[in-house]
Amino acid sequence: MEERPAGIQDSDVRDALRGWGIEPVTWEYAPVGFGDYHWTATDTRERRWFVTVADLTHKSWYGDGTEAAFHGLRDAMDTAVALRDAEPDGLDFVVAPLRTAEGETVRELGARHAVSVFPLVPGTAGHFGEPLTAHERGLVVDLLARLHRTAPPASARVLPPEFATRPQLDGALGELGGPWDGFGPYAEPARHLLADHAAALRRRLDEFDRRAGELRTASAPLVVTHGEPHPGNLLRAGERRLLLDWDTVGLAVPERDLWLVADGPDDLVRYEETAGRKPDPSALALYRLRWALNDVAEFLAVLRAPHDRTPDTRQSWDALADTVKTLAAEA
C-alpha cells in the first residue's frame, strides 16, 4: 500500500519486533503491494527483515470480524512454516515467516492489525499482471505440482470455492436505484458503473453458482494451494522462483492455483505429467471467474466506505472499472 496504516506508528511496529528479538538499526516504509503494509529493516547483527502489517478488517475470507481474521492469518502463517520445514524434504520455495521466541508466526498489533516478520530474501520481485515467459511458467508449474503433492499440515484450512465477499456484491447490486451519498468521490461513479453492467454481472454470478455446484458434485480431491501464485507474489533468484504472501494458503482443488499460471495446453500438460493429475477446464474457469467477482466486491467495499481521493482509492476505482467491463464483455 502507498498509504500507511491508520492508527499505527512506525514506533509501534519497531516495538513489536522485540517479540522476535530484533532491534532495528535502519528502517524504511516500503510502499509495495495492495492490502497489507510493509517495512524493511536491518538489525544490529546486519540481518535484513521484511515486516508485514496486515489490516484484519480486510481479511474477510477467514470469517467475520478481526478475531476470526487473526486466527485465520495465524493458521495460514503456521501452514507456510510447516510447508517450508516439512520432513524430510521441506519446500525451499516457500518464503515463510520467522517465529517469535514463544513460537508465534504472527502477533496482534492494536485492535485491527497484526504483524509478521520475514527474512528479506535477495531477488527480483515481479508485478501483478506481468506476463511470464514459457520458461518461467514452466518453473512455476513445477513448483505448484510439488506443492500440490505435499501432505497438508494440520493447520491448513479447507477453502470452499464460494467467496466471502459475495454478500457485499449482492448488496451493491441491490442498491443501485439511489445515490451512494456520504462515502467519497468514487462512490457515485462506482454505482453508475455497476448500473450500466448489472445484468451482465448477474449472469456471471449465475455462471459462478453453476460451476461451483458442478465442482461440489465432482468431489475432486483437495490439495494444499497457495491461492495467489501470480507474478506479484514471485521472487526471482537466479533460476529459482520463490513464492511469497502465503496468507491465502488452504486446501482446495489444484485449479485454484493453476488458472493464474497456465497459459495454454502446454502448461497444463506439463502440470499433468509432473503432478499426475489432469486439470479440469470447468474448475479453471470457475476460479478465474471467482477471482474477478471477488475483486469487484473488495473494490466496492473500499469505495462504498468513507474515503478520500488518494492513490490507493484511485487504484481501487481503476481496477473496479477494468474488472467490471471485462466481466461484462465475457458474459
Side-chain angles (χ1 to χ4, degrees):
M1 297 285 281
E2 293 192 32
E3 302 168 50
R4 294 174 180 243
I8 298 294
Q9 305 299 320
D10 280 6
S11 58
D12 299 324
V13 186
R14 290 171 65 97
D15 289 345
L17 292 185
R18 294 195 179 98
W20 282 266
I22 296 173
E23 291 288 344
V25 174
T26 63
W27 179 260
E28 184 178 2
Y29 184 72
V32 296
F34 189 83
D36 290 339
Y37 307 90
H38 308 285
W39 287 259
T40 59
T42 302
D43 68 14
T44 54
R45 296 167 59 185
E46 297 187 355
R47 298 173 302 178
R48 301 190 69 200
W49 306 102
F50 190 76
V51 183
T52 294
V53 171
D55 186 338
L56 298 174
T57 65
H58 293 163
K59 304 287 184 184
S60 59
W61 60 90
Y62 295 133
D64 294 331
T66 56
E67 183 176 358
F70 176 78
H71 291 304
L73 181 61
R74 182 191 59 194
D75 286 347
M77 294 298 98
D78 287 352
T79 298
V81 171
L83 291 170
R84 182 196 62 198
D85 297 341
E87 296 290 345
D89 298 312
L91 301 182
D92 58 356
F93 58 84
V94 176
V95 180
L98 180 73
R99 290 191 184 274
T100 67
E102 291 77 24
E104 302 162 299
T105 56
V106 61
R107 279 192 168 183
E108 291 177 306
L109 186 65
R112 56 177 281 183
H113 294 92
V115 61
S116 49
V117 179
F118 301 80
L120 188 60
V121 181
T124 303
H127 304 282
F128 181 78
E130 172 188 355
L132 297 178
T133 66
H135 175 67
E136 284 189 303
R137 291 198 308 274
L139 294 177
V140 180
V141 165
D142 291 347
L143 292 187
L144 293 178
R146 188 177 167 197
L147 172 65
H148 296 168
R149 295 196 310 266
T150 301
S155 53
R157 296 187 174 196
V158 174
L159 301 178
E162 289 76 18
F163 54 104
T165 54
R166 174 72 177 267
Q168 289 93 308
L169 179 52
D170 288 335
L173 287 170
E175 298 174 4
L176 298 175
W180 290 352
D181 291 332
F183 295 127
Y186 294 111
E188 268 296 276
R191 183 178 72 86
H192 287 290
L193 174 72
L194 255 65
D196 290 342
H197 300 288
L201 288 173
R202 291 188 176 100
R203 288 196 297 272
R204 301 312 304 272
L205 285 166
D206 289 342
E207 177 190 347
F208 174 84
D209 291 337
R210 174 179 60 79
R211 292 190 183 277
E214 292 171 353
L215 182 62
R216 285 192 296 272
T217 300
S219 299
L222 305 183
V223 300
V224 182
T225 60
H226 177 280
E228 297 186 350
H230 55 70
N233 286 334
L234 283 177
L235 189 70
R236 298 177 176 92
E239 271 296 290
R240 298 180 65 209
R241 296 297 179 270
L242 311 179
L243 275 173
L244 312 170
D245 289 355
W246 288 82
D247 59 337
T248 53
V249 67
L251 301 180
V253 293
E255 291 81 2
R256 179 176 184 247
D257 285 338
L258 286 174
W259 81 268
L260 271 162
V261 178
D263 186 25
D266 289 347
D267 294 332
L268 297 177
V269 168
R270 179 167 181 157
Y271 177 83
E272 182 179 358
E273 292 174 347
T274 307
R277 178 167 173 172
K278 185 175 182 178
D280 175 16
S282 180
L284 290 169
L286 166 68
Y287 277 96
R288 181 179 294 108
L289 178 56
R290 181 193 187 279
W291 180 283
L293 292 171
N294 183 68
D295 270 358
V296 170
E298 290 191 344
F299 296 137
L300 284 171
V302 173
L303 303 180
R304 277 166 54 85
H307 67 273
D308 297 316
R309 196 180 301 274
T310 69
D312 288 332
T313 56
R314 176 66 195 214
Q315 182 179 355
S316 293
W317 161 247
D318 289 342
L320 174 68
D322 288 345
T323 306
V324 167
K325 290 173 183 177
T326 299
L327 281 167
E330 296 173 351

